[in-house]
Amino acid sequence: MIDGGTEVKNMLRPVVELKGYRDGLRLIIDPEASMDRIQLAIVDRMANLGNSLAGMGLNIDIGDRSLSDEELTHLSNLLHKNYGLDIKRVIRESDDQTPIAEDLRIIGAPALHQEEHAIDNQFSPEHEETLFLRNTLRSGQVERFLEGNIVILGDVNPGAEVTAAGDIIVLGALRGVAHAGALGNTSSVIIALNLLPTQLRIGRFITRPPAGGKRKRRQAEVARVNGESITVEEFNGL
Amino acid sequence: MGRAIVITSGKGGVGKSTSTANLGTALAMLGRAVVVVDADVGLRNLDIIMGLESRVVYTSMDVIEGTCDIEKALVKDRRVENLRLLAASQKNNKTDIQAKQMKELCLELKDMFDYVLIDSPAGIEQGFQNASVGADEALIVTTPEVAAVRDADRIIGLLQSMEINDMNLVINRLSPNMVKAGDMMNQQDIIDILSIKLIGVIPEDQEMVVSTNRGLPLTHDRRSIAGDSFKRIARRLEGEELPIPTFKPESWFGSLFDKLFNWG
């Protein structure tokens, strides 16, 4: 989460920001920064995430800067090769709606109107949203929600995957893979009535249950980052 | 209008075709008009398991292409009066049949029979899609293995997305000795994950291999517990409320007991 007062925030505005929106992941680039700084900032921002977001589409918000085809190709390669992210759209302030980089199949899109932007522009604890799923996720099913938290009224079966930018709460058995804080928020938690996961991820941390252990607990448990690793304990309120 | 039921599993080798042959036989023995449809185009073997290989002249491909009437393609069973087989073409490919054609074929068969049992190929590709597209309900076959249950779970998710929500579970080849030793998943482990209704448990039985090789479904053998389990599934499909027995590990006394008395 980005912290600090408004003044400090303005001064230290990050060169790139990664946020979850209704239409997918968005990489917001400081219009003033040089390409070199942008590249460094992307590497820096993604260092925590590895390739955990691989396969997702990405929109780039370039504000009022201009971006040559060459620069865009470069960014596209960087994001694709290292993190498995594919640029879908380039969002920009200008009214010019001609397609950008047609051979890359990247579409140019105008920036959203100011008021829409205001509604959409939130991933902070006060404004985060929560997705409710009222069914069991079965093997092969993937659920991703990058605007906030996921609550599942059912099970997450082995072979199923659930990813959220915030917390993941399973009112059932969690047997598959869960990734909370997927945009890097290591204060996110994973809670399940029956926590028997294949693998747990919070931010950049990954853990799996000890081999061979067959636990059958009927006690809700919470997984959270403690220091440099994920720990699991009985859930007695946060 | 009859019921079209797809018998499917995701994983191969768990007993889809064996279940189709035995269940078809059991339902026909209850007096129902039954057709078993082999949807495994290119790898047909339902005809072998039923011992009807030498009688197959036309296949579902011929019906779809209009080469012959549907009545002509239906192979009459050797033993049970009202049981028919519609074989799959061995020389064609799964992509040679379109979902729409399969749907029409099922509709036609539902008009003629009380039960249309569709034997699905393994996998989740077009063969499975074609087998399921004309079905109203599904019978999921699994064995007590982690990999088989995983694939069954995937299949259930796919069937739900095809709006087939009426599903029953058959657990095949359960070995009570291995469950007791903790080497095999037990009934409850499987139901916990799949969370669909259990309609039958078939105990592991070496006779099953013999019967499929001979082309004589075990349901015909009155002494076979596995065969009897299929008869009970047939009665449950007919709406009878029958308890599902739990199989005890074999002891000499236990097996003697089973032989002397009519169990559970």
Side-chain angles (χ1 to χ4, degrees):
Chain A
M1 213 59 47
I2 297 137
D3 47 22
T6 347
E7 271 185 56
V8 181
K9 202 168 158 183
N10 279 343
M11 275 172 63
L12 296 177
R13 186 184 165 180
V15 180
V16 299
E17 288 178 87
L18 189 65
K19 291 186 176 183
Y21 281 87
R22 202 153 293 158
D23 58 352
L25 271 180
R26 195 176 296 181
L27 190 71
I28 302 157
I29 295 175
D30 179 358
E32 318 275 296
S34 70
M35 272 313 279
D36 284 349
R37 277 189 65 206
I38 290 169
Q39 280 186 45
L40 282 174
I42 288 175
V43 173
D44 201 39
R45 178 65 183 88
M46 299 301 294
N48 282 346
L49 300 170
N51 57 2
S52 64
L53 300 173
M56 282 192 215
L58 180 74
N59 299 326
I60 300 190
D61 188 337
I62 56 170
D64 56 4
R65 84 176 294 136
S66 64
L67 199 62
S68 72
D69 271 15
E70 210 174 307
E71 287 170 326
L72 187 59
T73 309
H74 197 74
L75 276 184
S76 168
N77 284 340
L78 173 78
L79 289 162
H80 179 78
K81 281 193 187 130
N82 298 318
Y83 315 109
L85 287 167
D86 292 312
I87 301 175
K88 295 279 178 241
R89 289 191 298 165
V90 174
I91 300 162
R92 52 191 169 167
E93 293 291 335
S94 79
D95 288 334
D96 180 13
Q97 290 200 28
T98 52
I100 309 180
E102 265 181 298
D103 49 335
L104 288 174
R105 295 195 187 186
I106 297 170
I107 311 162
L112 296 166
H113 294 302
Q114 204 54 44
E115 54 270 51
E116 271 180 284
H117 212 267
I119 301 165
D120 254 2
N121 188 7
Q122 38 55 40
F123 180 68
S124 60
E126 308 87 72
H127 299 295
E128 64 195 26
E129 295 181 21
T130 297
L131 173 72
F132 278 91
L133 293 176
R134 290 176 175 79
N135 56 300
T136 287
L137 287 185
R138 295 184 180 273
S139 176
Q141 294 176 336
V142 174
E143 197 62 56
R144 279 173 172 155
F145 188 65
L146 295 173
E147 297 157 77
N149 317 300
I150 297 188
V151 175
I152 297 173
L153 311 176
D155 299 337
V156 177
N157 278 354
E161 245 182 82
V162 51
T163 302
D167 302 332
I168 295 172
I169 297 164
V170 181
L171 297 174
L174 170 52
R175 298 189 179 90
V177 175
H179 188 182
L183 299 182
N185 182 2
T186 51
S187 61
S188 300
V189 296
I190 299 169
I191 299 170
L193 294 188
N194 203 1
L195 193 64
L196 306 156
T198 311
Q199 194 184 87
L200 291 179
R201 302 182 199 166
I202 299 175
R204 66 181 185 277
F205 299 103
I206 299 182
T207 189
R208 56 195 147 74
K214 204 184 177 186
R215 303 185 319 144
K216 273 243 162 115
R217 303 198 55 178
R218 289 291 170 198
Q219 159 72 44
E221 289 178 298
V222 55
R224 55 158 68 91
V225 174
N226 227 327
E228 284 296 296
S229 63
I230 298 175
T231 56
V232 172
E233 58 205 62
E234 273 187 19
F235 178 65
N236 299 312
L238 281 174
Chain B
M1 222 28 164
R3 292 161 72 178
I5 307 174
V6 60
I7 289 112
T8 185
S9 67
K11 191 172 178 297
V14 298
K16 285 180 296 295
S17 299
T18 312
S19 297
T20 308
N22 278 284
L23 209 54
T25 306
L27 283 164
M29 284 163 90
L30 289 175
R32 294 295 174 187
V34 182
V35 59
V36 291
V37 181
D38 193 343
D40 204 346
V41 177
L43 287 171
R44 82 174 194 211
N45 47 34
L46 190 56
D47 52 330
I48 303 172
I49 291 168
M50 296 187 64
L52 297 173
E53 190 184 6
S54 60
R55 301 180 186 213
V56 175
V57 180
Y58 297 106
T59 65
S60 54
M61 200 69 208
D62 296 312
V63 179
I64 284 167
E65 284 178 341
T67 318
C68 78
D69 282 348
I70 197 160
E71 281 87 359
K72 241 177 163 178
L74 296 171
V75 183
K76 199 171 170 300
D77 189 63
R78 286 184 297 162
R79 289 182 168 71
V80 195
E81 181 58 36
N82 33 9
L83 178 59
R84 300 285 183 278
L85 164 77
L86 182 56
S89 163
Q90 181 71 339
K91 56 177 183 277
N92 286 85
N93 216 304
K94 289 180 175 62
T95 46
D96 292 346
I97 295 182
Q98 288 163 9
K100 189 169 154 260
Q101 297 170 320
M102 200 60 193
K103 206 169 179 174
E104 278 165 12
L105 183 66
C106 285
L107 269 177
E108 209 172 327
L109 289 170
K110 272 161 67 175
D111 254 348
M112 305 165 66
F113 294 90
D114 298 321
Y115 284 94
V116 180
L117 302 184
I118 307 151
D119 182 21
S120 156
I124 55 173
E125 295 82 11
Q126 194 174 343
F128 156 73
Q129 309 273 351
N130 279 350
S132 312
V133 70
D136 313 301
E137 49 191 297
L139 214 61
I140 313 291
V141 183
T142 190
T143 54
E145 295 164 80
V146 175
V149 173
R150 185 73 52 93
D151 291 359
D153 193 43
R154 176 92 167 107
I155 285 289
I156 294 169
L158 291 172
L159 287 169
Q160 282 171 341
S161 68
M162 292 171 80
E163 310 269 296
I164 299 176
N165 292 309
D166 194 351
M167 284 183 258
N168 285 297
L169 178 69
V170 175
I171 300 175
N172 193 18
R173 305 190 62 180
L174 189 83
S175 159
N177 286 318
M178 286 180 76
V179 170
K180 197 192 173 205
D183 294 333
M184 194 180 253
M185 297 176 85
N186 68 31
Q187 243 163 271
Q188 198 53 50
D189 294 338
I190 299 169
I191 296 166
D192 275 352
I193 290 179
L194 299 182
S195 50
I196 58 170
K197 193 170 163 258
L198 181 68
I199 197 169
V201 179
I202 319 294
E204 171 80 357
D205 186 350
Q206 293 189 341
E207 285 299 311
M208 198 55 93
V209 181
V210 181
S211 89
T212 55
N213 284 343
R214 287 212 185 113
L216 181 64
L218 213 48
T219 315
H220 287 295
D221 183 349
R222 256 180 290 164
R223 290 162 308 154
S224 162
I225 294 179
D228 196 59
S229 301
F230 279 113
K231 286 185 200 155
R232 296 165 69 86
I233 294 175
R235 285 163 66 191
R236 289 189 194 102
L237 279 176
E238 284 281 274
E240 255 187 84
E241 291 285 337
L242 288 173
I244 291 169
T246 37
F247 295 98
K248 301 264 162 30
E250 251 177 68
S251 63
W252 69 270
F253 181 77
S255 55
L256 185 71
F257 187 84
D258 280 343
K259 278 177 186 136
L260 289 176
F261 300 97
N262 214 358
W263 51 277

